[in-house]
Amino acid sequence: MDKTSFSSCNKGKPIRCKAAICRKTGEALVIEEIQVDPPQAYEVRIKIICTSLCHTDITYWKLSHGPRAKFPKILGHEAIGVVESIGENVDGFKQGDVVLPVFYPNCEECKDCKSPKSNWCARFCDDFLSNTRRYGTGSRFKDSSGEIIHHHIYVSSFSEYTVVDIAHLVKISPEIPVHKAALLSCCVSTGVGAAWKVAGVEEGSTVAIFGLGAVGLAVAEGARLHGASKIIGVDLNPDKFEIVGKRFGITDFVNTASCGEKTISQVITEMTGGGVDYSFECIGLASLMEEAFNSTRTGSGKTVILGMEKNASPISLGSHAILRGRSVCGKSPRPLTSMAESAASQTQSLSEQYHLEKEVKQDTSAKPVEVAPEVTTTQAEEISTDKASEESPAVEEAVYAVEEDKSESPPASEEAPAVAAEDTADETPAAVEESNDDNASEEVAEETPDEIKLETAPADFRFPTTNQTRHCFTRYIEYHRCVAAKGDDAPECDKFSKFYRSLCPGEWVDKWNEQRENGTFPGPL
């Protein structure tokens, strides 16, 4: 992407653009011209280049009462964009960066953000009613008459431009195709992360997935990559199993309408000889949460709740079942980070190795705030390079499709909305192919015991969080270690290669390749 295509004259000024606005609960979205104010301190204004429709958007669209039923509103939270301008006190982002907005915050400072056990930010996560993360009800959107438009869970991606706090942004490689990357901000990180990190699905285990939408299929992919022997899909629509489910590793299917007098949990218990090891509820119905729990094995069964119950209804679980070893928990979405974040190291920091100059921030405080013409960028397709296309995973043909049936989607106005529905994506995100294969990592680590660590580098050469930078750097090193130990054709090396190429910016890789050739590479190869 041409990072110079943004006009510097718009910095610190409002931008007029189009957005899909929800005026009242349940009404069709209307395409209108709006004003997007410049970012304040700790905020970034981004141009949305691809967004998708999540069932959570539909849930909020239907809300008719309660503090979250605020209208008019700009919905949307699964997206990818390009930084147009930044506010004060913004480190780690600059104009032209490709970014992924996520509705769960990460302040990087509180106990929970620093802990590998949770991503429930103690500083920010309890507030889901404000428009902006640090400014309460203050909004960055106004319609043509000057009326305030509410934000949607701190993202509002159904707009050509939006303003997002840095606690809700992740910088990613521009080489990832946009229609794949957009899904990483919610459904893929939620589903794959639930299978890998929350449940800890292991080789040979059995899994039941309630709801085969985008999140459910992502759970199936995560379970497949971790070697689950039986993956049971539960849904009302058998086509989801035949068309896409099998491609994601789903081995069996239960149609909830065909269970007869038996409950779903009874059918699953009979199929598995006592219940599954892990069950995942991906719809958001209290009754199915109970069925998911009852379908797990006594003594060790684990249920992960991923669906958002619209009415926050309570669920009833048998106390004896819990006493006998079954457990239940929830999972909040976040971008996937390294499975080896705890590794220690003896390498120098990138700031010492690269001696990069820090970005010089311009003082715009004296500039008048005036309405600027719409900013233009190059076509979004430029992000999806030929190289990225060649290296996309083998499961591209499968669909991270409908989170719920199309019939539940909000009706569109006559003018085409600025939304690319999730079920139009015909490929899975490149990052899903990386399975974080523990066995492969251990094999390489046994032959190359050197530990890896990465300190925070200058803003021009790091992700917004140290963990993301370490993840990229670690996978690059693991790949070259693997090649040295196993050879270029080893399949485990190919996994490392696909992941670091999809995550690490090209200029980083070019620099590291150059340093490996001249013997100045900072890592332990």
Side-chain angles (χ1 to χ4, degrees):
M1 171 168 287
D2 182 5
K3 297 180 181 179
T4 64
S5 59
F6 293 102
S7 174
S8 60
C9 68
N10 294 303
K11 189 173 183 179
K13 300 178 182 180
I15 285 178
R16 293 194 185 279
C17 67
K18 291 184 178 181
I21 301 176
C22 181
R23 286 287 177 182
K24 293 182 180 179
T25 177
E27 287 191 357
L29 307 185
V30 182
I31 306 298
E32 297 183 20
E33 184 178 88
I34 65 167
Q35 174 181 302
V36 182
D37 290 338
Q40 302 302 306
Y42 302 101
E43 292 181 340
V44 172
R45 185 163 62 189
I46 62 178
K47 178 178 177 63
I48 299 296
I49 54 180
C50 184
T51 187
S52 55
L53 177 65
C54 173
H55 196 262
T56 301
D57 298 317
I58 299 175
T59 298
Y60 275 84
W61 171 71
K62 291 179 178 180
L63 287 179
S64 58
H65 60 278
R68 298 188 183 189
K70 298 184 295 185
F71 299 95
K73 175 185 293 184
I74 298 176
L75 296 168
H77 65 277
E78 282 189 351
I80 182 174
V82 180
V83 174
E84 178 270 335
S85 60
I86 63 175
E88 296 179 355
N89 304 323
V90 173
D91 294 322
F93 298 97
K94 63 181 183 299
Q95 187 183 72
D97 283 343
V98 180
V99 292
L100 199 71
V102 290
F103 68 89
Y104 264 79
N106 183 2
C107 73
E108 301 188 51
E109 298 173 356
C110 71
K111 177 180 178 180
D112 293 306
C113 284
K114 292 180 179 180
S115 170
K117 298 179 180 179
S118 170
N119 64 308
W120 188 266
C121 177
R123 180 181 178 187
F124 291 139
C125 253
D126 287 330
D127 178 15
F128 264 94
L129 301 180
S130 297
N131 281 321
T132 50
R133 177 50 72 192
R134 301 169 204 259
Y135 301 94
T137 57
S139 175
R140 304 291 173 257
F141 302 123
K142 297 184 183 70
D143 64 12
S144 57
S145 63
E147 180 184 3
I148 293 295
I149 304 172
H150 294 287
H151 291 240
H152 174 55
I153 51 180
Y154 305 101
V155 177
S156 291
S157 60
F158 291 178
S159 173
E160 291 179 318
Y161 288 85
T162 188
V163 175
V164 181
D165 191 282
I166 58 174
H168 293 267
L169 281 180
V170 179
K171 185 162 70 174
I172 66 171
S173 169
E175 295 183 0
I176 303 178
V178 294
H179 64 285
K180 298 179 180 180
L183 301 181
L184 289 172
S185 65
C186 182
C187 70
V188 173
S189 57
T190 301
V192 176
W196 288 357
K197 291 194 168 186
V198 181
V201 174
E202 69 276 354
E203 186 174 358
S205 57
T206 55
V207 173
I209 303 169
F210 289 72
L212 299 183
V215 172
L217 292 174
V219 171
E221 178 70 354
R224 182 190 70 81
L225 290 172
H226 269 206
S229 61
K230 180 184 287 291
I231 304 175
I232 303 171
V234 181
D235 203 286
L236 281 169
N237 186 354
D239 290 341
K240 292 183 180 180
F241 173 59
E242 295 296 335
I243 297 175
V244 294
K246 291 180 179 179
R247 300 176 185 176
F248 283 83
I250 296 177
T251 58
D252 300 87
F253 180 75
V254 174
N255 189 332
T256 55
S258 303
C259 293
E261 297 181 356
K262 295 181 180 179
T263 64
I264 303 171
S265 58
Q266 288 174 336
V267 172
I268 293 177
T269 300
E270 292 176 1
M271 291 174 62
T272 56
V276 292
D277 298 308
Y278 305 100
S279 67
F280 300 83
E281 201 281 341
C282 307
I283 297 176
L285 292 176
S287 59
L288 283 183
M289 295 176 188
E290 296 171 9
E291 282 296 295
F293 177 80
N294 292 330
S295 68
T296 58
R297 180 173 295 276
T298 300
S300 60
K302 187 171 186 177
T303 301
V304 182
I305 304 299
L306 302 177
M308 176 182 175
E309 230 288 346
K310 182 178 67 172
N311 299 314
S313 301
I315 60 176
S316 177
L317 305 178
S319 58
H320 284 184
I322 295 176
L323 185 64
R324 293 170 181 171
R326 290 177 180 171
S327 63
V328 61
C329 64
K331 196 275 177 186
S332 51
R334 76 185 305 175
L336 299 176
T337 53
S338 175
M339 293 290 189
E341 291 171 355
S342 60
S345 169
Q346 303 167 355
T347 62
Q348 293 176 297
S349 68
L350 286 182
S351 58
E352 295 171 337
Q353 290 294 323
Y354 291 86
H355 309 289
L356 295 179
E357 295 181 1
K358 294 184 178 180
E359 180 183 7
V360 178
K361 296 182 180 179
Q362 298 180 357
D363 183 10
T364 60
S365 59
K367 291 186 178 181
V369 178
E370 300 176 356
V371 176
E374 181 181 346
V375 177
T376 59
T377 64
T378 54
Q379 295 297 321
E381 286 79 5
E382 293 185 12
I383 289 183
S384 180
T385 61
D386 293 338
K387 180 179 179 182
S389 298
E390 293 172 359
E391 295 172 347
S392 55
V395 292
E396 285 180 339
E397 59 186 15
V399 183
Y400 263 107
V402 192
E403 295 215 4
E404 288 295 325
D405 294 337
K406 292 183 180 178
S407 59
E408 293 191 76
S409 301
S413 60
E414 293 183 359
E415 188 171 357
V419 179
E422 223 169 57
D423 54 358
T424 62
D426 59 356
E427 301 178 345
T428 57
V432 175
E433 174 66 18
E434 167 51 43
S435 67
N436 283 324
D437 191 309
D438 292 336
N439 295 332
S441 300
E442 290 172 2
E443 289 178 10
V444 178
E446 288 176 0
E447 301 185 18
T448 54
D450 294 332
E451 296 177 329
I452 302 170
K453 181 181 179 182
L454 188 64
E455 297 175 11
T456 302
D460 281 347
F461 212 78
R462 65 178 173 87
F463 287 110
T465 67
T466 305
N467 285 343
Q468 291 173 290
T469 309
R470 182 186 295 118
H471 194 26
C472 165
F473 190 65
T474 299
R475 289 302 177 179
Y476 177 87
I477 291 176
E478 285 178 325
Y479 168 70
H480 289 286
R481 283 177 166 185
C482 184
V483 168
K486 304 289 185 179
D488 292 334
D489 298 330
E492 57 265 42
C493 301
D494 185 55
K495 293 179 181 179
F496 293 136
S497 172
K498 287 180 178 179
F499 190 78
Y500 90 74
R501 291 180 186 276
S502 66
L503 179 64
C504 302
E507 63 266 27
W508 297 20
V509 175
D510 293 341
K511 184 68 176 181
W512 291 337
N513 288 340
E514 178 184 343
Q515 287 191 323
R516 284 195 308 106
E517 293 177 0
N518 60 30
T520 61
F521 182 71
L525 290 176

